[in-house]
Amino acid sequence: MITIERSILRKGHIGFKVAAYQQLDHMRTLHSSFQREADWAGFYVAKTKNVAAGYRVDYQHPYGHTVTLIHDMKVLICKGPELENSSITGFAKARMIIDALPEDMKTSIMKLNSPLIPALGRLGFYYQGPHDDEGGIEIIIPNRLIAFVAMHEKIDFGVNKYF
């Protein structure tokens, strides 16, 4: 069963990100929110270094960053074994989350007729939920709310020889 809690992510350090760039381009990320809307489209932040490090293999030249919020933000914290289960599709998980929402939020999202993460962004919410079935947690920041994020490069992993 999926449980949902509304909370506040406090200003300051929220996690880690591995990416192909040294600096975050806020305008490019914001612009992409108007080009691509999918249930899980957004800016992913891992709560731990270990989860973030798993993304190093996705990039030819990965960089490790710490991620901070410059403003307190609303967050929807979603938990449940269904969300940890990799055999359940992302589409199905998004529908399960929408079904589990409090009625006021469910009604608002249905009226928006938009995929999950972009709809949460329109309502001013970030998403937090399981990354895997091993306890990893990720925050997904809707691209339209990227202005409240700062990144600081901490590690240059160098060129990925397996890319």
mmCIF file of all heavy atoms in Angstrom, residues 14 70 90 108:
data_model
loop_
_atom_site.group_PDB
_atom_site.id
_atom_site.type_symbol
_atom_site.label_atom_id
_atom_site.label_comp_id
_atom_site.label_asym_id
_atom_site.label_seq_id
_atom_site.Cartn_x
_atom_site.Cartn_y
_atom_site.Cartn_z
ATOM 1 N N ILE A 14 20.312 18.913 0.341
ATOM 2 C CA ILE A 14 19.265 17.880 0.232
ATOM 3 C C ILE A 14 19.785 16.580 -0.365
ATOM 4 O O ILE A 14 19.096 15.563 -0.296
ATOM 5 C CB ILE A 14 18.035 18.349 -0.569
ATOM 6 C CG1 ILE A 14 18.404 18.699 -2.012
ATOM 7 C CG2 ILE A 14 17.332 19.479 0.153
ATOM 8 C CD1 ILE A 14 17.210 18.855 -2.932
ATOM 9 N N ILE A 70 17.686 26.667 -2.099
ATOM 10 C CA ILE A 70 17.874 28.041 -1.647
ATOM 11 C C ILE A 70 16.609 28.591 -0.996
ATOM 12 O O ILE A 70 16.580 29.745 -0.580
ATOM 13 C CB ILE A 70 18.352 28.947 -2.807
ATOM 14 C CG1 ILE A 70 17.362 28.939 -3.956
ATOM 15 C CG2 ILE A 70 19.726 28.499 -3.289
ATOM 16 C CD1 ILE A 70 17.698 29.916 -5.071
ATOM 17 N N GLY A 90 6.803 2.362 -14.612
ATOM 18 C CA GLY A 90 6.710 3.738 -14.128
ATOM 19 C C GLY A 90 5.316 4.306 -14.304
ATOM 20 O O GLY A 90 4.809 5.032 -13.447
ATOM 21 N N SER A 108 -6.989 18.175 -8.088
ATOM 22 C CA SER A 108 -6.160 19.192 -8.755
ATOM 23 C C SER A 108 -5.323 18.584 -9.873
ATOM 24 O O SER A 108 -5.228 19.149 -10.965
ATOM 25 C CB SER A 108 -5.235 19.874 -7.748
ATOM 26 O OG SER A 108 -5.982 20.578 -6.797
#
